[in-house]
Amino acid sequence: MPDQKSVAVLGGGLAGLATAVALGSADYQVRLFEARPFLGGRATSYPLNAADENSPTIDNCQHVLLRCCTNLLDFYSRLGVRDRIRFYREFYWIEPGGRVSVMQRGMLPAPLHFTGSFAKLKFLSWNDKLGIASALLALRYEYGTRTDLDRITMLDWLREKKQTPQAIERFWRQVLVSAINEDLDRMAAVHGLQVFYLGFLSRTDSYEMGVPAVPLGELYAEDAWREYPAVNIEQRAAAQQVRIENGRAIGVIVNGECITADAYVLAVPFERVGALAPGLAVDVSSFSHSPITGIHLWFDRPLTDLPHATLLDRTIQWMFNKHEGRHIQLVVSASRALTEMSRGDVIQLALRELKEFFPHCGELKVERAHVVKEVRATFSAEPGLEDKRPQSATAVPNLFLAGDWTRSGWPATMEGAVRSGYLAAEAVTQAFGSAQRFLRPDVQR
Ligand SMILES: Cc1cc2nc3c(=O)[nH]c(=O)nc-3n(C[C@H](O)[C@H](O)[C@H](O)COP(=O)(O)OP(=O)(O)OC[C@H]3O[C@@H](n4cnc5c(N)ncnc54)[C@H](O)[C@@H]3O)c2cc1C
């Protein structure tokens, strides 16, 4: 096509891949450059021991989504891998000692669909539950109407709503620290309200938890791109610098070679932007990181037949059953307390805690253990940050930003990253005078 525009996308995480898939479906010629030898960025998988061909492939950390992640699901559909996400209707909560409660939807319409199972949760008192119900009613009204939610913390909001300490610890903290990867006293309230509004109150199925049934890297494997011949992906291709002259981007140096395109999309983490495009005035000084720690344990026999569970009152927040109850993955979000600990100590702590939830754990033999500390897992969603997140368009008219840290309308999640990619693709099409829409709307009531 003679007037086909070319776009260079720098970064093969979900934001860059989403930009590529959107533009590739809209007659743009896309070259995507990823520094590492695999795609997916922070949502990826790799062999535990690359030198051993029998080594298991693990995700850098268990990634889950909710059915309200409309853009992420659209992205998986575009790549033809939507059926590789397995959805669960049950949320299991386990107390130390092993008592299990289950939250799932019943027959009532939204937002009352949890009423039956919520009433039966054993780890909350009636007083806790009445307080939570009244806060959820307020939340439905305040989300989208109250203007100070980015200036106060989630903990401020919960105290304003007179939540009991047990409701805060065992309900709100348990759900939100994992969803936003930040503590309640550091997280802007707007994000906490968004999670509950979209995930738990909007539709009866929007809370369903999606867990990839294959290693994350397989979701973006070569086969998935056959439908997009206009997208060319190069791995082990680190961009060194975007050249800007007379207010326009004129090329990008990749592995020493200057690549030119009509437009450029920087889809790298916020801490990389300054070095890659020194001429671009993007202020990232307000951003800081929040860590996530994943712990993989392989046992000689099954630990549990539950597919997953959230573990109350301890350091470990989530347990995922990766394979027949023998390969277990544990996740700790906002895991600052673990980042300084040795890997051996983290494993000991995990085993100690697991014994409290699954008393027979002590009888099982640990065959292998592995700890992944992602110190730069996500940005910290602190109050006041929303206004500082940049839009896709920059002061350089043919240079755009994508990434979970840009102003996607969501916190740092896979959905946020894909939204940012679609928004960057929209901004590219607009710059070339043929504006197209890729962003899917949030779930509606
Ligand atoms: C441990 C962990 C657990 C998580 N759990 C969840 C979860 O359960 N659910 C959820 O929704 N989200 C989760 N997240 C968040 C989610 O993974 C991220 O928000 C999302 O993947 C970010 O995508 P991105 O494309 O914006 O950035 P990235 O994934 O960081 O992608 C940026 C890419 O740019 C590449 N790059 C950097 N510099 C260059 C260069 N110079 N040239 C070329 N390429 C370059 C990098 O290698 C990387 O591939 C988790 C994150 C972590 C770390």
PDB file of all heavy atoms in Angstrom, residues 342-371:
ATOM      1  N   SER A 342      16.660 -12.907  52.929  1.00  0.00           N
ATOM      2  CA  SER A 342      17.314 -13.844  52.000  1.00  0.00           C
ATOM      3  C   SER A 342      16.243 -14.770  51.419  1.00  0.00           C
ATOM      4  O   SER A 342      15.178 -14.962  52.025  1.00  0.00           O
ATOM      5  CB  SER A 342      18.365 -14.679  52.733  1.00  0.00           C
ATOM      6  OG  SER A 342      17.708 -15.631  53.555  1.00  0.00           O
ATOM      7  N   ARG A 343      16.550 -15.367  50.250  1.00  0.00           N
ATOM      8  CA  ARG A 343      15.573 -16.265  49.622  1.00  0.00           C
ATOM      9  C   ARG A 343      15.270 -17.456  50.536  1.00  0.00           C
ATOM     10  O   ARG A 343      14.145 -17.901  50.648  1.00  0.00           O
ATOM     11  CB  ARG A 343      16.076 -16.722  48.261  1.00  0.00           C
ATOM     12  CG  ARG A 343      15.963 -15.601  47.248  1.00  0.00           C
ATOM     13  CD  ARG A 343      16.408 -15.970  45.864  1.00  0.00           C
ATOM     14  NE  ARG A 343      15.853 -15.038  44.907  1.00  0.00           N
ATOM     15  CZ  ARG A 343      16.181 -13.758  44.797  1.00  0.00           C
ATOM     16  NH1 ARG A 343      17.075 -13.229  45.600  1.00  0.00           N
ATOM     17  NH2 ARG A 343      15.606 -12.971  43.893  1.00  0.00           N
ATOM     18  N   GLY A 344      16.305 -17.949  51.220  1.00  0.00           N
ATOM     19  CA  GLY A 344      16.110 -19.084  52.138  1.00  0.00           C
ATOM     20  C   GLY A 344      15.130 -18.715  53.253  1.00  0.00           C
ATOM     21  O   GLY A 344      14.247 -19.507  53.603  1.00  0.00           O
ATOM     22  N   ASP A 345      15.279 -17.518  53.792  1.00  0.00           N
ATOM     23  CA  ASP A 345      14.374 -17.094  54.872  1.00  0.00           C
ATOM     24  C   ASP A 345      12.943 -16.929  54.355  1.00  0.00           C
ATOM     25  O   ASP A 345      11.978 -17.229  55.062  1.00  0.00           O
ATOM     26  CB  ASP A 345      14.857 -15.779  55.495  1.00  0.00           C
ATOM     27  CG  ASP A 345      16.085 -16.002  56.379  1.00  0.00           C
ATOM     28  OD1 ASP A 345      16.399 -17.181  56.656  1.00  0.00           O
ATOM     29  OD2 ASP A 345      16.726 -15.008  56.762  1.00  0.00           O
ATOM     30  N   VAL A 346      12.820 -16.441  53.121  1.00  0.00           N
ATOM     31  CA  VAL A 346      11.461 -16.284  52.547  1.00  0.00           C
ATOM     32  C   VAL A 346      10.806 -17.666  52.422  1.00  0.00           C
ATOM     33  O   VAL A 346       9.631 -17.856  52.748  1.00  0.00           O
ATOM     34  CB  VAL A 346      11.531 -15.578  51.172  1.00  0.00           C
ATOM     35  CG1 VAL A 346      10.172 -15.592  50.484  1.00  0.00           C
ATOM     36  CG2 VAL A 346      12.033 -14.148  51.324  1.00  0.00           C
ATOM     37  N   ILE A 347      11.581 -18.646  51.970  1.00  0.00           N
ATOM     38  CA  ILE A 347      11.026 -20.011  51.806  1.00  0.00           C
ATOM     39  C   ILE A 347      10.633 -20.582  53.172  1.00  0.00           C
ATOM     40  O   ILE A 347       9.547 -21.163  53.328  1.00  0.00           O
ATOM     41  CB  ILE A 347      12.049 -20.911  51.083  1.00  0.00           C
ATOM     42  CG1 ILE A 347      12.211 -20.435  49.635  1.00  0.00           C
ATOM     43  CG2 ILE A 347      11.620 -22.379  51.123  1.00  0.00           C
ATOM     44  CD1 ILE A 347      13.432 -20.983  48.926  1.00  0.00           C
ATOM     45  N   GLN A 348      11.472 -20.382  54.168  1.00  0.00           N
ATOM     46  CA  GLN A 348      11.143 -20.891  55.517  1.00  0.00           C
ATOM     47  C   GLN A 348       9.866 -20.248  56.045  1.00  0.00           C
ATOM     48  O   GLN A 348       8.995 -20.910  56.605  1.00  0.00           O
ATOM     49  CB  GLN A 348      12.309 -20.623  56.498  1.00  0.00           C
ATOM     50  CG  GLN A 348      13.516 -21.516  56.265  1.00  0.00           C
ATOM     51  CD  GLN A 348      13.127 -22.983  56.052  1.00  0.00           C
ATOM     52  OE1 GLN A 348      12.318 -23.536  56.790  1.00  0.00           O
ATOM     53  NE2 GLN A 348      13.671 -23.590  55.006  1.00  0.00           N
ATOM     54  N   LEU A 349       9.758 -18.929  55.845  1.00  0.00           N
ATOM     55  CA  LEU A 349       8.556 -18.217  56.301  1.00  0.00           C
ATOM     56  C   LEU A 349       7.315 -18.763  55.599  1.00  0.00           C
ATOM     57  O   LEU A 349       6.271 -19.024  56.216  1.00  0.00           O
ATOM     58  CB  LEU A 349       8.711 -16.720  56.022  1.00  0.00           C
ATOM     59  CG  LEU A 349       7.498 -15.854  56.333  1.00  0.00           C
ATOM     60  CD1 LEU A 349       7.920 -14.654  57.177  1.00  0.00           C
ATOM     61  CD2 LEU A 349       6.807 -15.346  55.084  1.00  0.00           C
ATOM     62  N   ALA A 350       7.444 -18.980  54.285  1.00  0.00           N
ATOM     63  CA  ALA A 350       6.298 -19.484  53.515  1.00  0.00           C
ATOM     64  C   ALA A 350       5.879 -20.865  54.022  1.00  0.00           C
ATOM     65  O   ALA A 350       4.682 -21.130  54.218  1.00  0.00           O
ATOM     66  CB  ALA A 350       6.679 -19.553  52.035  1.00  0.00           C
ATOM     67  N   LEU A 351       6.847 -21.723  54.280  1.00  0.00           N
ATOM     68  CA  LEU A 351       6.507 -23.087  54.737  1.00  0.00           C
ATOM     69  C   LEU A 351       5.883 -23.046  56.138  1.00  0.00           C
ATOM     70  O   LEU A 351       4.923 -23.767  56.419  1.00  0.00           O
ATOM     71  CB  LEU A 351       7.757 -23.969  54.728  1.00  0.00           C
ATOM     72  CG  LEU A 351       8.251 -24.346  53.322  1.00  0.00           C
ATOM     73  CD1 LEU A 351       9.623 -24.997  53.392  1.00  0.00           C
ATOM     74  CD2 LEU A 351       7.247 -25.287  52.634  1.00  0.00           C
ATOM     75  N   ARG A 352       6.426 -22.187  56.985  1.00  0.00           N
ATOM     76  CA  ARG A 352       5.871 -22.037  58.342  1.00  0.00           C
ATOM     77  C   ARG A 352       4.406 -21.610  58.270  1.00  0.00           C
ATOM     78  O   ARG A 352       3.532 -22.166  58.917  1.00  0.00           O
ATOM     79  CB  ARG A 352       6.680 -20.966  59.076  1.00  0.00           C
ATOM     80  CG  ARG A 352       7.205 -21.423  60.389  1.00  0.00           C
ATOM     81  CD  ARG A 352       8.012 -20.413  61.160  1.00  0.00           C
ATOM     82  NE  ARG A 352       8.093 -19.044  60.733  1.00  0.00           N
ATOM     83  CZ  ARG A 352       9.166 -18.494  60.154  1.00  0.00           C
ATOM     84  NH1 ARG A 352      10.240 -19.211  59.921  1.00  0.00           N
ATOM     85  NH2 ARG A 352       9.171 -17.212  59.824  1.00  0.00           N
ATOM     86  N   GLU A 353       4.148 -20.604  57.422  1.00  0.00           N
ATOM     87  CA  GLU A 353       2.772 -20.104  57.331  1.00  0.00           C
ATOM     88  C   GLU A 353       1.849 -21.135  56.674  1.00  0.00           C
ATOM     89  O   GLU A 353       0.711 -21.314  57.103  1.00  0.00           O
ATOM     90  CB  GLU A 353       2.747 -18.779  56.567  1.00  0.00           C
ATOM     91  CG  GLU A 353       3.420 -17.660  57.358  1.00  0.00           C
ATOM     92  CD  GLU A 353       3.121 -16.268  56.811  1.00  0.00           C
ATOM     93  OE1 GLU A 353       2.430 -16.152  55.780  1.00  0.00           O
ATOM     94  OE2 GLU A 353       3.572 -15.285  57.434  1.00  0.00           O
ATOM     95  N   LEU A 354       2.348 -21.798  55.637  1.00  0.00           N
ATOM     96  CA  LEU A 354       1.494 -22.786  54.947  1.00  0.00           C
ATOM     97  C   LEU A 354       1.004 -23.865  55.911  1.00  0.00           C
ATOM     98  O   LEU A 354      -0.124 -24.342  55.817  1.00  0.00           O
ATOM     99  CB  LEU A 354       2.264 -23.448  53.807  1.00  0.00           C
ATOM    100  CG  LEU A 354       2.186 -22.812  52.426  1.00  0.00           C
ATOM    101  CD1 LEU A 354       2.826 -23.726  51.407  1.00  0.00           C
ATOM    102  CD2 LEU A 354       0.753 -22.477  52.013  1.00  0.00           C
ATOM    103  N   LYS A 355       1.866 -24.225  56.857  1.00  0.00           N
ATOM    104  CA  LYS A 355       1.503 -25.257  57.843  1.00  0.00           C
ATOM    105  C   LYS A 355       0.302 -24.824  58.676  1.00  0.00           C
ATOM    106  O   LYS A 355      -0.472 -25.652  59.141  1.00  0.00           O
ATOM    107  CB  LYS A 355       2.694 -25.502  58.776  1.00  0.00           C
ATOM    108  CG  LYS A 355       3.377 -26.830  58.531  1.00  0.00           C
ATOM    109  CD  LYS A 355       4.465 -27.053  59.554  1.00  0.00           C
ATOM    110  CE  LYS A 355       5.811 -27.015  58.876  1.00  0.00           C
ATOM    111  NZ  LYS A 355       6.957 -27.032  59.755  1.00  0.00           N
ATOM    112  N   GLU A 356       0.150 -23.523  58.864  1.00  0.00           N
ATOM    113  CA  GLU A 356      -0.984 -23.040  59.655  1.00  0.00           C
ATOM    114  C   GLU A 356      -2.299 -23.185  58.884  1.00  0.00           C
ATOM    115  O   GLU A 356      -3.359 -23.335  59.472  1.00  0.00           O
ATOM    116  CB  GLU A 356      -0.780 -21.581  60.033  1.00  0.00           C
ATOM    117  CG  GLU A 356       0.412 -21.338  60.928  1.00  0.00           C
ATOM    118  CD  GLU A 356       0.438 -19.902  61.407  1.00  0.00           C
ATOM    119  OE1 GLU A 356      -0.455 -19.518  62.179  1.00  0.00           O
ATOM    120  OE2 GLU A 356       1.348 -19.158  60.970  1.00  0.00           O
ATOM    121  N   PHE A 357      -2.220 -23.104  57.558  1.00  0.00           N
ATOM    122  CA  PHE A 357      -3.437 -23.199  56.742  1.00  0.00           C
ATOM    123  C   PHE A 357      -3.709 -24.634  56.301  1.00  0.00           C
ATOM    124  O   PHE A 357      -4.858 -25.030  56.140  1.00  0.00           O
ATOM    125  CB  PHE A 357      -3.311 -22.285  55.511  1.00  0.00           C
ATOM    126  CG  PHE A 357      -3.178 -20.832  55.868  1.00  0.00           C
ATOM    127  CD1 PHE A 357      -1.940 -20.220  55.981  1.00  0.00           C
ATOM    128  CD2 PHE A 357      -4.312 -20.074  56.137  1.00  0.00           C
ATOM    129  CE1 PHE A 357      -1.831 -18.892  56.343  1.00  0.00           C
ATOM    130  CE2 PHE A 357      -4.212 -18.740  56.488  1.00  0.00           C
ATOM    131  CZ  PHE A 357      -2.953 -18.145  56.592  1.00  0.00           C
ATOM    132  N   PHE A 358      -2.633 -25.352  56.058  1.00  0.00           N
ATOM    133  CA  PHE A 358      -2.730 -26.749  55.604  1.00  0.00           C
ATOM    134  C   PHE A 358      -1.887 -27.576  56.568  1.00  0.00           C
ATOM    135  O   PHE A 358      -0.692 -27.807  56.320  1.00  0.00           O
ATOM    136  CB  PHE A 358      -2.199 -26.895  54.164  1.00  0.00           C
ATOM    137  CG  PHE A 358      -2.851 -25.958  53.179  1.00  0.00           C
ATOM    138  CD1 PHE A 358      -2.252 -24.750  52.838  1.00  0.00           C
ATOM    139  CD2 PHE A 358      -4.081 -26.277  52.607  1.00  0.00           C
ATOM    140  CE1 PHE A 358      -2.850 -23.883  51.941  1.00  0.00           C
ATOM    141  CE2 PHE A 358      -4.686 -25.415  51.708  1.00  0.00           C
ATOM    142  CZ  PHE A 358      -4.071 -24.209  51.375  1.00  0.00           C
ATOM    143  N   PRO A 359      -2.477 -28.005  57.708  1.00  0.00           N
ATOM    144  CA  PRO A 359      -1.668 -28.601  58.773  1.00  0.00           C
ATOM    145  C   PRO A 359      -0.812 -29.785  58.310  1.00  0.00           C
ATOM    146  O   PRO A 359       0.267 -30.000  58.866  1.00  0.00           O
ATOM    147  CB  PRO A 359      -2.714 -29.023  59.804  1.00  0.00           C
ATOM    148  CG  PRO A 359      -3.853 -28.064  59.576  1.00  0.00           C
ATOM    149  CD  PRO A 359      -3.866 -27.799  58.103  1.00  0.00           C
ATOM    150  N   HIS A 360      -1.225 -30.533  57.267  1.00  0.00           N
ATOM    151  CA  HIS A 360      -0.400 -31.671  56.851  1.00  0.00           C
ATOM    152  C   HIS A 360       0.812 -31.236  56.016  1.00  0.00           C
ATOM    153  O   HIS A 360       1.601 -32.080  55.586  1.00  0.00           O
ATOM    154  CB  HIS A 360      -1.245 -32.692  56.072  1.00  0.00           C
ATOM    155  CG  HIS A 360      -1.674 -32.189  54.726  1.00  0.00           C
ATOM    156  ND1 HIS A 360      -2.598 -31.193  54.573  1.00  0.00           N
ATOM    157  CD2 HIS A 360      -1.287 -32.530  53.475  1.00  0.00           C
ATOM    158  CE1 HIS A 360      -2.761 -30.936  53.288  1.00  0.00           C
ATOM    159  NE2 HIS A 360      -1.980 -31.740  52.605  1.00  0.00           N
ATOM    160  N   CYS A 361       0.970 -29.941  55.784  1.00  0.00           N
ATOM    161  CA  CYS A 361       2.093 -29.450  54.963  1.00  0.00           C
ATOM    162  C   CYS A 361       3.433 -29.950  55.513  1.00  0.00           C
ATOM    163  O   CYS A 361       4.341 -30.288  54.743  1.00  0.00           O
ATOM    164  CB  CYS A 361       2.056 -27.922  54.931  1.00  0.00           C
ATOM    165  SG  CYS A 361       3.407 -27.185  54.038  1.00  0.00           S
ATOM    166  N   GLY A 362       3.534 -30.020  56.846  1.00  0.00           N
ATOM    167  CA  GLY A 362       4.790 -30.446  57.469  1.00  0.00           C
ATOM    168  C   GLY A 362       5.174 -31.869  57.105  1.00  0.00           C
ATOM    169  O   GLY A 362       6.349 -32.249  57.208  1.00  0.00           O
ATOM    170  N   GLU A 363       4.191 -32.675  56.684  1.00  0.00           N
ATOM    171  CA  GLU A 363       4.502 -34.082  56.328  1.00  0.00           C
ATOM    172  C   GLU A 363       4.996 -34.207  54.887  1.00  0.00           C
ATOM    173  O   GLU A 363       5.470 -35.268  54.478  1.00  0.00           O
ATOM    174  CB  GLU A 363       3.239 -34.957  56.479  1.00  0.00           C
ATOM    175  CG  GLU A 363       2.732 -35.025  57.919  1.00  0.00           C
ATOM    176  CD  GLU A 363       1.247 -35.347  57.967  1.00  0.00           C
ATOM    177  OE1 GLU A 363       0.728 -35.961  57.010  1.00  0.00           O
ATOM    178  OE2 GLU A 363       0.605 -34.943  58.951  1.00  0.00           O
ATOM    179  N   LEU A 364       4.829 -33.144  54.093  1.00  0.00           N
ATOM    180  CA  LEU A 364       5.228 -33.231  52.686  1.00  0.00           C
ATOM    181  C   LEU A 364       6.704 -32.871  52.530  1.00  0.00           C
ATOM    182  O   LEU A 364       7.233 -32.064  53.292  1.00  0.00           O
ATOM    183  CB  LEU A 364       4.393 -32.272  51.829  1.00  0.00           C
ATOM    184  CG  LEU A 364       2.866 -32.341  51.954  1.00  0.00           C
ATOM    185  CD1 LEU A 364       2.224 -31.439  50.917  1.00  0.00           C
ATOM    186  CD2 LEU A 364       2.376 -33.769  51.770  1.00  0.00           C
ATOM    187  N   LYS A 365       7.306 -33.479  51.501  1.00  0.00           N
ATOM    188  CA  LYS A 365       8.713 -33.164  51.239  1.00  0.00           C
ATOM    189  C   LYS A 365       8.778 -32.064  50.173  1.00  0.00           C
ATOM    190  O   LYS A 365       8.088 -32.141  49.146  1.00  0.00           O
ATOM    191  CB  LYS A 365       9.395 -34.432  50.729  1.00  0.00           C
ATOM    192  CG  LYS A 365      10.870 -34.300  50.614  1.00  0.00           C
ATOM    193  CD  LYS A 365      11.506 -35.671  50.407  1.00  0.00           C
ATOM    194  CE  LYS A 365      12.795 -35.459  49.642  1.00  0.00           C
ATOM    195  NZ  LYS A 365      12.950 -36.278  48.475  1.00  0.00           N
ATOM    196  N   VAL A 366       9.570 -31.049  50.437  1.00  0.00           N
ATOM    197  CA  VAL A 366       9.750 -29.986  49.439  1.00  0.00           C
ATOM    198  C   VAL A 366      10.826 -30.450  48.461  1.00  0.00           C
ATOM    199  O   VAL A 366      11.974 -30.657  48.840  1.00  0.00           O
ATOM    200  CB  VAL A 366      10.196 -28.661  50.111  1.00  0.00           C
ATOM    201  CG1 VAL A 366      10.355 -27.553  49.076  1.00  0.00           C
ATOM    202  CG2 VAL A 366       9.205 -28.252  51.184  1.00  0.00           C
ATOM    203  N   GLU A 367      10.431 -30.623  47.196  1.00  0.00           N
ATOM    204  CA  GLU A 367      11.400 -31.124  46.210  1.00  0.00           C
ATOM    205  C   GLU A 367      12.195 -29.997  45.562  1.00  0.00           C
ATOM    206  O   GLU A 367      13.315 -30.185  45.122  1.00  0.00           O
ATOM    207  CB  GLU A 367      10.662 -31.925  45.133  1.00  0.00           C
ATOM    208  CG  GLU A 367      10.050 -33.187  45.714  1.00  0.00           C
ATOM    209  CD  GLU A 367       9.423 -34.079  44.663  1.00  0.00           C
ATOM    210  OE1 GLU A 367       8.931 -33.535  43.644  1.00  0.00           O
ATOM    211  OE2 GLU A 367       9.416 -35.302  44.866  1.00  0.00           O
ATOM    212  N   ARG A 368      11.545 -28.832  45.495  1.00  0.00           N
ATOM    213  CA  ARG A 368      12.218 -27.700  44.862  1.00  0.00           C
ATOM    214  C   ARG A 368      11.541 -26.415  45.349  1.00  0.00           C
ATOM    215  O   ARG A 368      10.340 -26.430  45.638  1.00  0.00           O
ATOM    216  CB  ARG A 368      12.034 -27.805  43.339  1.00  0.00           C
ATOM    217  CG  ARG A 368      13.045 -27.047  42.522  1.00  0.00           C
ATOM    218  CD  ARG A 368      12.566 -26.847  41.111  1.00  0.00           C
ATOM    219  NE  ARG A 368      12.495 -28.058  40.303  1.00  0.00           N
ATOM    220  CZ  ARG A 368      13.231 -28.258  39.209  1.00  0.00           C
ATOM    221  NH1 ARG A 368      14.138 -27.398  38.858  1.00  0.00           N
ATOM    222  NH2 ARG A 368      13.039 -29.323  38.470  1.00  0.00           N
ATOM    223  N   ALA A 369      12.278 -25.357  45.452  1.00  0.00           N
ATOM    224  CA  ALA A 369      11.677 -24.071  45.863  1.00  0.00           C
ATOM    225  C   ALA A 369      12.375 -22.957  45.096  1.00  0.00           C
ATOM    226  O   ALA A 369      13.568 -23.058  44.796  1.00  0.00           O
ATOM    227  CB  ALA A 369      11.845 -23.873  47.365  1.00  0.00           C
ATOM    228  N   HIS A 370      11.616 -21.929  44.775  1.00  0.00           N
ATOM    229  CA  HIS A 370      12.196 -20.836  43.992  1.00  0.00           C
ATOM    230  C   HIS A 370      11.475 -19.536  44.384  1.00  0.00           C
ATOM    231  O   HIS A 370      10.249 -19.513  44.511  1.00  0.00           O
ATOM    232  CB  HIS A 370      11.986 -21.121  42.496  1.00  0.00           C
ATOM    233  CG  HIS A 370      12.590 -20.103  41.602  1.00  0.00           C
ATOM    234  ND1 HIS A 370      13.956 -19.970  41.430  1.00  0.00           N
ATOM    235  CD2 HIS A 370      12.029 -19.145  40.827  1.00  0.00           C
ATOM    236  CE1 HIS A 370      14.198 -18.985  40.577  1.00  0.00           C
ATOM    237  NE2 HIS A 370      13.035 -18.471  40.193  1.00  0.00           N
ATOM    238  N   VAL A 371      12.242 -18.493  44.577  1.00  0.00           N
ATOM    239  CA  VAL A 371      11.654 -17.191  44.969  1.00  0.00           C
ATOM    240  C   VAL A 371      11.938 -16.176  43.867  1.00  0.00           C
ATOM    241  O   VAL A 371      13.064 -16.085  43.388  1.00  0.00           O
ATOM    242  CB  VAL A 371      12.291 -16.696  46.293  1.00  0.00           C
ATOM    243  CG1 VAL A 371      11.756 -15.310  46.669  1.00  0.00           C
ATOM    244  CG2 VAL A 371      12.029 -17.685  47.416  1.00  0.00           C
TER     245      VAL A 371
END
